[in-house]
Amino acid sequence: MTTTPVRTIAPGMPLPLRQRIRLWIESEPVLAYLFMSPGWLILLLFMSYPFFLGIWISLTDRTVGLPTGEFVGLRNYRDLLRDGVFRLTVLNTFIYGFVTVPFKLLLGLLLALLLNQAFRLRNVLRAALLLPWIVPTALSSLAWLMLYDPVLSPFSWLLKDWGVVEGSIAFLGSRVNAIVSLCVANIWRGTPFFAVAILAGLQAVPHELHEAAAIEGANAIQRFFAVTLPVIRGIVVITTLFSIIWTFADFQLVYVLTKGGPANSTHIFGTFAWQEGIGGAGKLGMGAAVSLYMFPILAALSAILLRYVRSQET
Amino acid sequence: MAEVIYDHVTKRFDSVVAVNDLTLEVKDGEFLVLVGPSGCGKTTALRCLAGLEEVTSGDILIGDRVVTHIPPKDRDIAMVFQNYALYPHMTVYDNMAFGLKLRKVPKQEIDRRVKEAAEILGIQELLNRKPRQLSGGQRQRVALGRAIVREPQVFLMDEPLSNLDAKLRVQTRGELIKLQRRLGVTTIYVTHDQVEAMTMGHRIAVMNQGVLQQLDTPENLYDRPANLFVATFIGSPAMNIFPVKVVSGDGAYRLIAGEVTLEVPPSHRSRLADYVGREVLLGIRPEDLEVAVSNEAQRGDTVRLPVELIEPLGAETLVHLRGPAGTLIAQGEPRIRLNPGDVVTVRVRTEHLHTFDPQTEAAIF
């Protein structure tokens, strides 16, 4: 609401400048933008500026070490489409993003259902569950690197000991092995997020609903589908979308475990962009173009996510 | 339809005894109210009957079947919860049909029963709505409907009216009574509201601290409370209680407290014989204190007391009097003209006095 100060000046006379400015600032539309301006400023500085700079760089042949580059239009984008490694990178990213999520969801759901039961040490377990998610990925990935070591891997030793395999397994040695290994590590890291989010949802399921359903004749599985699932559906959808987005935009795990190898066969967008732009070739323009190929995919996923969240609000 | 029997039922939660050796028989078709303050064990007793709590010892029978260790779904009961527990994602129709679908009742039969129940409750228009689109009163009806369609042996109701506003609660109370009388299904109804208990139940079981205090008709509970707890719990405003000394002389028994002396009616004398010379607790209901503005002389059933406060409630006026031991509340005429400080003559309906043993708190008469 705007408040009009009491005017002490006779009608018809122009107001003094200072008072006019004050009135203008205090008017609702102006004031609203003023309040929003710090947020806008931060967004502009730290989000929009790098984003648009990235777009600009992707349209040049700029390299690391040189201050400027030539404008080359969409050449970087065109060249990427013809690049076999980039096409493999796209495929890898989709595998990495979409194959791991169902596992994370299912395991997370099971863990959440388990941790929602009453038993001793439940709180200790709940806290321990979060560990994979809160340990810095670079660190936990190093642990996985040791687990996947071609010579010292405890997995290999165990399986050899049980007589399942003859020799050591080259977990990161071939494309298929490496991608499976990456997915397993990613599932390990991402499951707690699902578990914790779903656990929070489960605790919001009113106890009486389960009791009412039990009296009406529903067994545990029927109660899960009739009572639990509908209540936690929103959380499951949102968690899944978040997880897909994060997995798509991952970098650390793949970088530490394979650096995109062997022979550039396990790159995802993040690692390939880094290698093109900074790591190997130093072609900043090309690296930026790789990253920007991710943009429409992530934008679409984010749009779905936001639409869903808004539909739940109303 | 069936009778329900609690046979020495005890329920412990760790060290807390929620229900203590409850023995109780609910007749076929009866509306029994379990009433008591919060934490008295009434809800636990109901949940034991539903099978939502395992009893620690004792047996529960529905009809002539022992159901003590039978899971809830096989007890042939339906329960209405305080917050209704409607499935939020299902329509009203599906909410009501859910239990029948689980029991593989044929589709036409489900449809018939749901529509019939909806008609009884006047919610035909709401069948396609979701619970969140309903008002509190409508939700309450749906919860009732869900119980009705099951056509169970027993209805269990856990404070089903307490989430409604006062006006709607009174209205629904009446409808619920009519519905129960019409369907004739044995109903066990838990409430902490003694007005609900008095108006709805054929019989009332008053509980306190896990122990059944008295099981009786509303009239008997009111006029012949078994102990001090029942006497003060039932009735609003609560019964006035104060200690008096029993004195005998001139062939009469008198109860004396400070300036106040009351004569015990002859019919009650024999019961007081053992208490002569001792203190007992005297109970007088507010409506048994008749406030008269007149200045007549004191008799065996009148006392003169100063007025502390007037509470005009419209249909009646509560007069707070400075009694021999704290405030006494009398239920006066509407529009009575009194001011704090006035000294009034109060006639006590001595035929309705109650007395309690100060140690056991059991009623003497």
Side-chain angles (χ1 to χ4, degrees), chain A residues 215-248:
Chain A
I215 289 176
E216 295 208 75
N219 60 34
I221 293 166
Q222 288 166 326
R223 288 208 302 273
F224 174 76
F225 283 105
V227 175
T228 309
L229 202 55
V231 178
I232 64 170
R233 199 190 59 194
I235 281 186
V236 168
V237 171
I238 289 170
T239 314
T240 304
L241 281 166
F242 262 121
S243 178
I244 294 174
I245 291 171
W246 285 339
T247 314
F248 252 86

PDB file of all heavy atoms in Angstrom, chain A residues 215-248:
ATOM      1  N   ILE A 215      -7.697 -51.879   9.165  1.00  0.00           N
ATOM      2  CA  ILE A 215      -9.008 -52.335   9.637  1.00  0.00           C
ATOM      3  C   ILE A 215      -9.888 -52.726   8.455  1.00  0.00           C
ATOM      4  O   ILE A 215     -10.643 -53.682   8.510  1.00  0.00           O
ATOM      5  CB  ILE A 215      -9.685 -51.235  10.480  1.00  0.00           C
ATOM      6  CG1 ILE A 215      -8.959 -51.091  11.813  1.00  0.00           C
ATOM      7  CG2 ILE A 215     -11.164 -51.561  10.713  1.00  0.00           C
ATOM      8  CD1 ILE A 215      -9.473 -49.973  12.683  1.00  0.00           C
ATOM      9  N   GLU A 216      -9.737 -51.978   7.350  1.00  0.00           N
ATOM     10  CA  GLU A 216     -10.586 -52.279   6.199  1.00  0.00           C
ATOM     11  C   GLU A 216     -10.140 -53.515   5.443  1.00  0.00           C
ATOM     12  O   GLU A 216     -10.829 -53.953   4.524  1.00  0.00           O
ATOM     13  CB  GLU A 216     -10.603 -51.078   5.253  1.00  0.00           C
ATOM     14  CG  GLU A 216     -11.249 -49.881   5.911  1.00  0.00           C
ATOM     15  CD  GLU A 216     -11.879 -48.971   4.917  1.00  0.00           C
ATOM     16  OE1 GLU A 216     -12.954 -49.339   4.408  1.00  0.00           O
ATOM     17  OE2 GLU A 216     -11.305 -47.912   4.632  1.00  0.00           O
ATOM     18  N   GLY A 217      -8.962 -54.029   5.813  1.00  0.00           N
ATOM     19  CA  GLY A 217      -8.562 -55.304   5.230  1.00  0.00           C
ATOM     20  C   GLY A 217      -7.371 -55.252   4.308  1.00  0.00           C
ATOM     21  O   GLY A 217      -7.113 -56.206   3.569  1.00  0.00           O
ATOM     22  N   ALA A 218      -6.611 -54.158   4.312  1.00  0.00           N
ATOM     23  CA  ALA A 218      -5.470 -54.065   3.411  1.00  0.00           C
ATOM     24  C   ALA A 218      -4.229 -54.659   4.073  1.00  0.00           C
ATOM     25  O   ALA A 218      -3.946 -54.364   5.231  1.00  0.00           O
ATOM     26  CB  ALA A 218      -5.210 -52.608   3.044  1.00  0.00           C
ATOM     27  N   ASN A 219      -3.490 -55.487   3.330  1.00  0.00           N
ATOM     28  CA  ASN A 219      -2.228 -55.990   3.876  1.00  0.00           C
ATOM     29  C   ASN A 219      -1.123 -54.967   3.606  1.00  0.00           C
ATOM     30  O   ASN A 219      -1.363 -53.916   3.016  1.00  0.00           O
ATOM     31  CB  ASN A 219      -1.880 -57.361   3.284  1.00  0.00           C
ATOM     32  CG  ASN A 219      -1.739 -57.306   1.776  1.00  0.00           C
ATOM     33  OD1 ASN A 219      -1.291 -56.297   1.227  1.00  0.00           O
ATOM     34  ND2 ASN A 219      -2.110 -58.382   1.106  1.00  0.00           N
ATOM     35  N   ALA A 220       0.103 -55.288   4.030  1.00  0.00           N
ATOM     36  CA  ALA A 220       1.190 -54.300   3.973  1.00  0.00           C
ATOM     37  C   ALA A 220       1.414 -53.785   2.550  1.00  0.00           C
ATOM     38  O   ALA A 220       1.609 -52.589   2.333  1.00  0.00           O
ATOM     39  CB  ALA A 220       2.467 -54.916   4.532  1.00  0.00           C
ATOM     40  N   ILE A 221       1.381 -54.687   1.584  1.00  0.00           N
ATOM     41  CA  ILE A 221       1.654 -54.261   0.198  1.00  0.00           C
ATOM     42  C   ILE A 221       0.508 -53.398  -0.325  1.00  0.00           C
ATOM     43  O   ILE A 221       0.727 -52.356  -0.953  1.00  0.00           O
ATOM     44  CB  ILE A 221       1.877 -55.504  -0.696  1.00  0.00           C
ATOM     45  CG1 ILE A 221       3.182 -56.200  -0.264  1.00  0.00           C
ATOM     46  CG2 ILE A 221       1.939 -55.111  -2.167  1.00  0.00           C
ATOM     47  CD1 ILE A 221       3.345 -57.583  -0.819  1.00  0.00           C
ATOM     48  N   GLN A 222      -0.726 -53.816  -0.037  1.00  0.00           N
ATOM     49  CA  GLN A 222      -1.878 -53.009  -0.464  1.00  0.00           C
ATOM     50  C   GLN A 222      -1.854 -51.639   0.199  1.00  0.00           C
ATOM     51  O   GLN A 222      -2.200 -50.631  -0.423  1.00  0.00           O
ATOM     52  CB  GLN A 222      -3.184 -53.735  -0.114  1.00  0.00           C
ATOM     53  CG  GLN A 222      -3.438 -54.947  -0.991  1.00  0.00           C
ATOM     54  CD  GLN A 222      -4.535 -55.833  -0.431  1.00  0.00           C
ATOM     55  OE1 GLN A 222      -4.698 -55.979   0.775  1.00  0.00           O
ATOM     56  NE2 GLN A 222      -5.303 -56.434  -1.328  1.00  0.00           N
ATOM     57  N   ARG A 223      -1.422 -51.613   1.463  1.00  0.00           N
ATOM     58  CA  ARG A 223      -1.344 -50.323   2.155  1.00  0.00           C
ATOM     59  C   ARG A 223      -0.276 -49.436   1.528  1.00  0.00           C
ATOM     60  O   ARG A 223      -0.449 -48.233   1.423  1.00  0.00           O
ATOM     61  CB  ARG A 223      -1.037 -50.527   3.645  1.00  0.00           C
ATOM     62  CG  ARG A 223      -2.174 -51.080   4.431  1.00  0.00           C
ATOM     63  CD  ARG A 223      -2.098 -50.652   5.886  1.00  0.00           C
ATOM     64  NE  ARG A 223      -0.859 -51.050   6.523  1.00  0.00           N
ATOM     65  CZ  ARG A 223      -0.657 -52.232   7.105  1.00  0.00           C
ATOM     66  NH1 ARG A 223      -1.623 -53.123   7.120  1.00  0.00           N
ATOM     67  NH2 ARG A 223       0.477 -52.515   7.683  1.00  0.00           N
ATOM     68  N   PHE A 224       0.836 -50.057   1.093  1.00  0.00           N
ATOM     69  CA  PHE A 224       1.885 -49.263   0.471  1.00  0.00           C
ATOM     70  C   PHE A 224       1.342 -48.571  -0.774  1.00  0.00           C
ATOM     71  O   PHE A 224       1.550 -47.375  -0.980  1.00  0.00           O
ATOM     72  CB  PHE A 224       3.088 -50.140   0.107  1.00  0.00           C
ATOM     73  CG  PHE A 224       4.134 -49.403  -0.667  1.00  0.00           C
ATOM     74  CD1 PHE A 224       4.987 -48.512  -0.027  1.00  0.00           C
ATOM     75  CD2 PHE A 224       4.248 -49.563  -2.045  1.00  0.00           C
ATOM     76  CE1 PHE A 224       5.938 -47.802  -0.736  1.00  0.00           C
ATOM     77  CE2 PHE A 224       5.190 -48.852  -2.761  1.00  0.00           C
ATOM     78  CZ  PHE A 224       6.036 -47.967  -2.101  1.00  0.00           C
ATOM     79  N   PHE A 225       0.622 -49.301  -1.599  1.00  0.00           N
ATOM     80  CA  PHE A 225       0.143 -48.703  -2.852  1.00  0.00           C
ATOM     81  C   PHE A 225      -1.056 -47.780  -2.637  1.00  0.00           C
ATOM     82  O   PHE A 225      -1.215 -46.794  -3.340  1.00  0.00           O
ATOM     83  CB  PHE A 225      -0.191 -49.803  -3.868  1.00  0.00           C
ATOM     84  CG  PHE A 225       1.032 -50.388  -4.496  1.00  0.00           C
ATOM     85  CD1 PHE A 225       1.491 -51.645  -4.133  1.00  0.00           C
ATOM     86  CD2 PHE A 225       1.771 -49.652  -5.419  1.00  0.00           C
ATOM     87  CE1 PHE A 225       2.645 -52.169  -4.683  1.00  0.00           C
ATOM     88  CE2 PHE A 225       2.928 -50.169  -5.988  1.00  0.00           C
ATOM     89  CZ  PHE A 225       3.368 -51.439  -5.615  1.00  0.00           C
ATOM     90  N   ALA A 226      -1.897 -48.103  -1.656  1.00  0.00           N
ATOM     91  CA  ALA A 226      -3.112 -47.311  -1.465  1.00  0.00           C
ATOM     92  C   ALA A 226      -2.887 -46.103  -0.581  1.00  0.00           C
ATOM     93  O   ALA A 226      -3.547 -45.081  -0.742  1.00  0.00           O
ATOM     94  CB  ALA A 226      -4.218 -48.191  -0.870  1.00  0.00           C
ATOM     95  N   VAL A 227      -1.975 -46.202   0.359  1.00  0.00           N
ATOM     96  CA  VAL A 227      -1.809 -45.121   1.340  1.00  0.00           C
ATOM     97  C   VAL A 227      -0.463 -44.415   1.180  1.00  0.00           C
ATOM     98  O   VAL A 227      -0.396 -43.202   0.984  1.00  0.00           O
ATOM     99  CB  VAL A 227      -1.930 -45.682   2.784  1.00  0.00           C
ATOM    100  CG1 VAL A 227      -1.634 -44.592   3.792  1.00  0.00           C
ATOM    101  CG2 VAL A 227      -3.317 -46.263   3.005  1.00  0.00           C
ATOM    102  N   THR A 228       0.623 -45.201   1.227  1.00  0.00           N
ATOM    103  CA  THR A 228       1.951 -44.591   1.268  1.00  0.00           C
ATOM    104  C   THR A 228       2.303 -43.908  -0.051  1.00  0.00           C
ATOM    105  O   THR A 228       2.640 -42.723  -0.081  1.00  0.00           O
ATOM    106  CB  THR A 228       3.009 -45.661   1.580  1.00  0.00           C
ATOM    107  OG1 THR A 228       2.594 -46.368   2.737  1.00  0.00           O
ATOM    108  CG2 THR A 228       4.356 -45.017   1.835  1.00  0.00           C
ATOM    109  N   LEU A 229       2.225 -44.671  -1.133  1.00  0.00           N
ATOM    110  CA  LEU A 229       2.712 -44.154  -2.415  1.00  0.00           C
ATOM    111  C   LEU A 229       2.026 -42.862  -2.846  1.00  0.00           C
ATOM    112  O   LEU A 229       2.700 -41.908  -3.249  1.00  0.00           O
ATOM    113  CB  LEU A 229       2.592 -45.249  -3.484  1.00  0.00           C
ATOM    114  CG  LEU A 229       3.510 -45.062  -4.688  1.00  0.00           C
ATOM    115  CD1 LEU A 229       4.961 -44.932  -4.247  1.00  0.00           C
ATOM    116  CD2 LEU A 229       3.363 -46.220  -5.656  1.00  0.00           C
ATOM    117  N   PRO A 230       0.691 -42.790  -2.773  1.00  0.00           N
ATOM    118  CA  PRO A 230       0.065 -41.526  -3.190  1.00  0.00           C
ATOM    119  C   PRO A 230       0.537 -40.331  -2.373  1.00  0.00           C
ATOM    120  O   PRO A 230       0.644 -39.232  -2.906  1.00  0.00           O
ATOM    121  CB  PRO A 230      -1.424 -41.781  -2.961  1.00  0.00           C
ATOM    122  CG  PRO A 230      -1.577 -43.243  -2.957  1.00  0.00           C
ATOM    123  CD  PRO A 230      -0.305 -43.801  -2.412  1.00  0.00           C
ATOM    124  N   VAL A 231       0.833 -40.560  -1.101  1.00  0.00           N
ATOM    125  CA  VAL A 231       1.250 -39.429  -0.270  1.00  0.00           C
ATOM    126  C   VAL A 231       2.672 -38.984  -0.617  1.00  0.00           C
ATOM    127  O   VAL A 231       2.976 -37.804  -0.622  1.00  0.00           O
ATOM    128  CB  VAL A 231       1.135 -39.784   1.241  1.00  0.00           C
ATOM    129  CG1 VAL A 231       1.609 -38.627   2.093  1.00  0.00           C
ATOM    130  CG2 VAL A 231      -0.301 -40.136   1.592  1.00  0.00           C
ATOM    131  N   ILE A 232       3.551 -39.955  -0.911  1.00  0.00           N
ATOM    132  CA  ILE A 232       4.942 -39.573  -1.178  1.00  0.00           C
ATOM    133  C   ILE A 232       5.214 -39.355  -2.665  1.00  0.00           C
ATOM    134  O   ILE A 232       6.344 -39.071  -3.050  1.00  0.00           O
ATOM    135  CB  ILE A 232       5.939 -40.629  -0.627  1.00  0.00           C
ATOM    136  CG1 ILE A 232       5.770 -41.963  -1.349  1.00  0.00           C
ATOM    137  CG2 ILE A 232       5.800 -40.781   0.873  1.00  0.00           C
ATOM    138  CD1 ILE A 232       6.885 -42.943  -1.019  1.00  0.00           C
ATOM    139  N   ARG A 233       4.195 -39.459  -3.505  1.00  0.00           N
ATOM    140  CA  ARG A 233       4.414 -39.377  -4.951  1.00  0.00           C
ATOM    141  C   ARG A 233       5.128 -38.092  -5.353  1.00  0.00           C
ATOM    142  O   ARG A 233       6.083 -38.103  -6.119  1.00  0.00           O
ATOM    143  CB  ARG A 233       3.071 -39.472  -5.678  1.00  0.00           C
ATOM    144  CG  ARG A 233       3.217 -39.853  -7.132  1.00  0.00           C
ATOM    145  CD  ARG A 233       1.907 -39.704  -7.847  1.00  0.00           C
ATOM    146  NE  ARG A 233       1.434 -38.328  -7.749  1.00  0.00           N
ATOM    147  CZ  ARG A 233       0.206 -37.933  -8.029  1.00  0.00           C
ATOM    148  NH1 ARG A 233      -0.680 -38.807  -8.390  1.00  0.00           N
ATOM    149  NH2 ARG A 233      -0.137 -36.665  -7.939  1.00  0.00           N
ATOM    150  N   GLY A 234       4.669 -36.969  -4.791  1.00  0.00           N
ATOM    151  CA  GLY A 234       5.264 -35.687  -5.140  1.00  0.00           C
ATOM    152  C   GLY A 234       6.748 -35.655  -4.839  1.00  0.00           C
ATOM    153  O   GLY A 234       7.559 -35.247  -5.678  1.00  0.00           O
ATOM    154  N   ILE A 235       7.106 -36.145  -3.678  1.00  0.00           N
ATOM    155  CA  ILE A 235       8.515 -36.155  -3.284  1.00  0.00           C
ATOM    156  C   ILE A 235       9.320 -37.046  -4.219  1.00  0.00           C
ATOM    157  O   ILE A 235      10.417 -36.705  -4.632  1.00  0.00           O
ATOM    158  CB  ILE A 235       8.646 -36.616  -1.815  1.00  0.00           C
ATOM    159  CG1 ILE A 235       8.294 -35.442  -0.908  1.00  0.00           C
ATOM    160  CG2 ILE A 235      10.037 -37.127  -1.526  1.00  0.00           C
ATOM    161  CD1 ILE A 235       8.518 -35.701   0.550  1.00  0.00           C
ATOM    162  N   VAL A 236       8.758 -38.182  -4.583  1.00  0.00           N
ATOM    163  CA  VAL A 236       9.483 -39.101  -5.464  1.00  0.00           C
ATOM    164  C   VAL A 236       9.739 -38.444  -6.816  1.00  0.00           C
ATOM    165  O   VAL A 236      10.852 -38.498  -7.345  1.00  0.00           O
ATOM    166  CB  VAL A 236       8.683 -40.418  -5.622  1.00  0.00           C
ATOM    167  CG1 VAL A 236       9.266 -41.258  -6.741  1.00  0.00           C
ATOM    168  CG2 VAL A 236       8.684 -41.193  -4.314  1.00  0.00           C
ATOM    169  N   VAL A 237       8.716 -37.787  -7.360  1.00  0.00           N
ATOM    170  CA  VAL A 237       8.880 -37.149  -8.672  1.00  0.00           C
ATOM    171  C   VAL A 237       9.955 -36.066  -8.614  1.00  0.00           C
ATOM    172  O   VAL A 237      10.863 -36.013  -9.457  1.00  0.00           O
ATOM    173  CB  VAL A 237       7.537 -36.551  -9.151  1.00  0.00           C
ATOM    174  CG1 VAL A 237       7.756 -35.707 -10.396  1.00  0.00           C
ATOM    175  CG2 VAL A 237       6.540 -37.654  -9.422  1.00  0.00           C
ATOM    176  N   ILE A 238       9.868 -35.214  -7.612  1.00  0.00           N
ATOM    177  CA  ILE A 238      10.811 -34.102  -7.523  1.00  0.00           C
ATOM    178  C   ILE A 238      12.235 -34.622  -7.302  1.00  0.00           C
ATOM    179  O   ILE A 238      13.188 -34.175  -7.933  1.00  0.00           O
ATOM    180  CB  ILE A 238      10.375 -33.144  -6.392  1.00  0.00           C
ATOM    181  CG1 ILE A 238       9.110 -32.410  -6.823  1.00  0.00           C
ATOM    182  CG2 ILE A 238      11.473 -32.158  -6.058  1.00  0.00           C
ATOM    183  CD1 ILE A 238       8.458 -31.616  -5.722  1.00  0.00           C
ATOM    184  N   THR A 239      12.379 -35.591  -6.411  1.00  0.00           N
ATOM    185  CA  THR A 239      13.702 -36.150  -6.134  1.00  0.00           C
ATOM    186  C   THR A 239      14.295 -36.762  -7.391  1.00  0.00           C
ATOM    187  O   THR A 239      15.475 -36.584  -7.696  1.00  0.00           O
ATOM    188  CB  THR A 239      13.596 -37.222  -5.032  1.00  0.00           C
ATOM    189  OG1 THR A 239      12.786 -36.730  -3.979  1.00  0.00           O
ATOM    190  CG2 THR A 239      14.954 -37.578  -4.489  1.00  0.00           C
ATOM    191  N   THR A 240      13.454 -37.473  -8.147  1.00  0.00           N
ATOM    192  CA  THR A 240      13.938 -38.111  -9.365  1.00  0.00           C
ATOM    193  C   THR A 240      14.427 -37.075 -10.367  1.00  0.00           C
ATOM    194  O   THR A 240      15.513 -37.208 -10.938  1.00  0.00           O
ATOM    195  CB  THR A 240      12.807 -38.958  -9.985  1.00  0.00           C
ATOM    196  OG1 THR A 240      12.356 -39.881  -9.011  1.00  0.00           O
ATOM    197  CG2 THR A 240      13.297 -39.689 -11.206  1.00  0.00           C
ATOM    198  N   LEU A 241      13.624 -36.034 -10.556  1.00  0.00           N
ATOM    199  CA  LEU A 241      14.031 -35.006 -11.521  1.00  0.00           C
ATOM    200  C   LEU A 241      15.335 -34.337 -11.091  1.00  0.00           C
ATOM    201  O   LEU A 241      16.243 -34.133 -11.909  1.00  0.00           O
ATOM    202  CB  LEU A 241      12.918 -33.975 -11.674  1.00  0.00           C
ATOM    203  CG  LEU A 241      11.779 -34.435 -12.579  1.00  0.00           C
ATOM    204  CD1 LEU A 241      10.573 -33.543 -12.427  1.00  0.00           C
ATOM    205  CD2 LEU A 241      12.228 -34.453 -14.037  1.00  0.00           C
ATOM    206  N   PHE A 242      15.430 -34.027  -9.817  1.00  0.00           N
ATOM    207  CA  PHE A 242      16.671 -33.420  -9.311  1.00  0.00           C
ATOM    208  C   PHE A 242      17.858 -34.334  -9.589  1.00  0.00           C
ATOM    209  O   PHE A 242      18.909 -33.902 -10.051  1.00  0.00           O
ATOM    210  CB  PHE A 242      16.568 -33.182  -7.800  1.00  0.00           C
ATOM    211  CG  PHE A 242      16.188 -31.784  -7.460  1.00  0.00           C
ATOM    212  CD1 PHE A 242      15.042 -31.514  -6.738  1.00  0.00           C
ATOM    213  CD2 PHE A 242      16.983 -30.722  -7.867  1.00  0.00           C
ATOM    214  CE1 PHE A 242      14.675 -30.216  -6.420  1.00  0.00           C
ATOM    215  CE2 PHE A 242      16.624 -29.422  -7.558  1.00  0.00           C
ATOM    216  CZ  PHE A 242      15.467 -29.170  -6.841  1.00  0.00           C
ATOM    217  N   SER A 243      17.658 -35.614  -9.301  1.00  0.00           N
ATOM    218  CA  SER A 243      18.760 -36.553  -9.441  1.00  0.00           C
ATOM    219  C   SER A 243      19.201 -36.657 -10.902  1.00  0.00           C
ATOM    220  O   SER A 243      20.394 -36.704 -11.196  1.00  0.00           O
ATOM    221  CB  SER A 243      18.341 -37.918  -8.915  1.00  0.00           C
ATOM    222  OG  SER A 243      19.381 -38.838  -9.079  1.00  0.00           O
ATOM    223  N   ILE A 244      18.221 -36.671 -11.815  1.00  0.00           N
ATOM    224  CA  ILE A 244      18.589 -36.743 -13.239  1.00  0.00           C
ATOM    225  C   ILE A 244      19.425 -35.526 -13.613  1.00  0.00           C
ATOM    226  O   ILE A 244      20.473 -35.628 -14.263  1.00  0.00           O
ATOM    227  CB  ILE A 244      17.326 -36.825 -14.123  1.00  0.00           C
ATOM    228  CG1 ILE A 244      16.590 -38.139 -13.876  1.00  0.00           C
ATOM    229  CG2 ILE A 244      17.708 -36.719 -15.598  1.00  0.00           C
ATOM    230  CD1 ILE A 244      15.259 -38.248 -14.596  1.00  0.00           C
ATOM    231  N   ILE A 245      18.975 -34.368 -13.173  1.00  0.00           N
ATOM    232  CA  ILE A 245      19.692 -33.141 -13.517  1.00  0.00           C
ATOM    233  C   ILE A 245      21.116 -33.177 -12.969  1.00  0.00           C
ATOM    234  O   ILE A 245      22.087 -32.892 -13.665  1.00  0.00           O
ATOM    235  CB  ILE A 245      18.917 -31.915 -12.986  1.00  0.00           C
ATOM    236  CG1 ILE A 245      17.622 -31.741 -13.775  1.00  0.00           C
ATOM    237  CG2 ILE A 245      19.768 -30.657 -13.074  1.00  0.00           C
ATOM    238  CD1 ILE A 245      16.679 -30.709 -13.197  1.00  0.00           C
ATOM    239  N   TRP A 246      21.226 -33.552 -11.707  1.00  0.00           N
ATOM    240  CA  TRP A 246      22.561 -33.579 -11.095  1.00  0.00           C
ATOM    241  C   TRP A 246      23.470 -34.599 -11.764  1.00  0.00           C
ATOM    242  O   TRP A 246      24.649 -34.368 -11.952  1.00  0.00           O
ATOM    243  CB  TRP A 246      22.447 -33.909  -9.601  1.00  0.00           C
ATOM    244  CG  TRP A 246      21.942 -32.771  -8.800  1.00  0.00           C
ATOM    245  CD1 TRP A 246      21.964 -31.459  -9.156  1.00  0.00           C
ATOM    246  CD2 TRP A 246      21.337 -32.837  -7.514  1.00  0.00           C
ATOM    247  NE1 TRP A 246      21.405 -30.705  -8.167  1.00  0.00           N
ATOM    248  CE2 TRP A 246      21.014 -31.520  -7.145  1.00  0.00           C
ATOM    249  CE3 TRP A 246      21.041 -33.881  -6.637  1.00  0.00           C
ATOM    250  CZ2 TRP A 246      20.405 -31.208  -5.942  1.00  0.00           C
ATOM    251  CZ3 TRP A 246      20.443 -33.568  -5.434  1.00  0.00           C
ATOM    252  CH2 TRP A 246      20.127 -32.249  -5.095  1.00  0.00           C
ATOM    253  N   THR A 247      22.895 -35.749 -12.095  1.00  0.00           N
ATOM    254  CA  THR A 247      23.722 -36.781 -12.706  1.00  0.00           C
ATOM    255  C   THR A 247      24.184 -36.336 -14.094  1.00  0.00           C
ATOM    256  O   THR A 247      25.318 -36.565 -14.485  1.00  0.00           O
ATOM    257  CB  THR A 247      22.937 -38.098 -12.798  1.00  0.00           C
ATOM    258  OG1 THR A 247      22.296 -38.328 -11.558  1.00  0.00           O
ATOM    259  CG2 THR A 247      23.860 -39.256 -13.104  1.00  0.00           C
ATOM    260  N   PHE A 248      23.285 -35.686 -14.815  1.00  0.00           N
ATOM    261  CA  PHE A 248      23.652 -35.159 -16.139  1.00  0.00           C
ATOM    262  C   PHE A 248      24.827 -34.198 -16.028  1.00  0.00           C
ATOM    263  O   PHE A 248      25.719 -34.193 -16.860  1.00  0.00           O
ATOM    264  CB  PHE A 248      22.462 -34.400 -16.741  1.00  0.00           C
ATOM    265  CG  PHE A 248      21.832 -35.125 -17.869  1.00  0.00           C
ATOM    266  CD1 PHE A 248      20.861 -36.072 -17.632  1.00  0.00           C
ATOM    267  CD2 PHE A 248      22.224 -34.881 -19.169  1.00  0.00           C
ATOM    268  CE1 PHE A 248      20.282 -36.751 -18.667  1.00  0.00           C
ATOM    269  CE2 PHE A 248      21.648 -35.570 -20.216  1.00  0.00           C
ATOM    270  CZ  PHE A 248      20.671 -36.502 -19.962  1.00  0.00           C
TER     271      PHE A 248
END
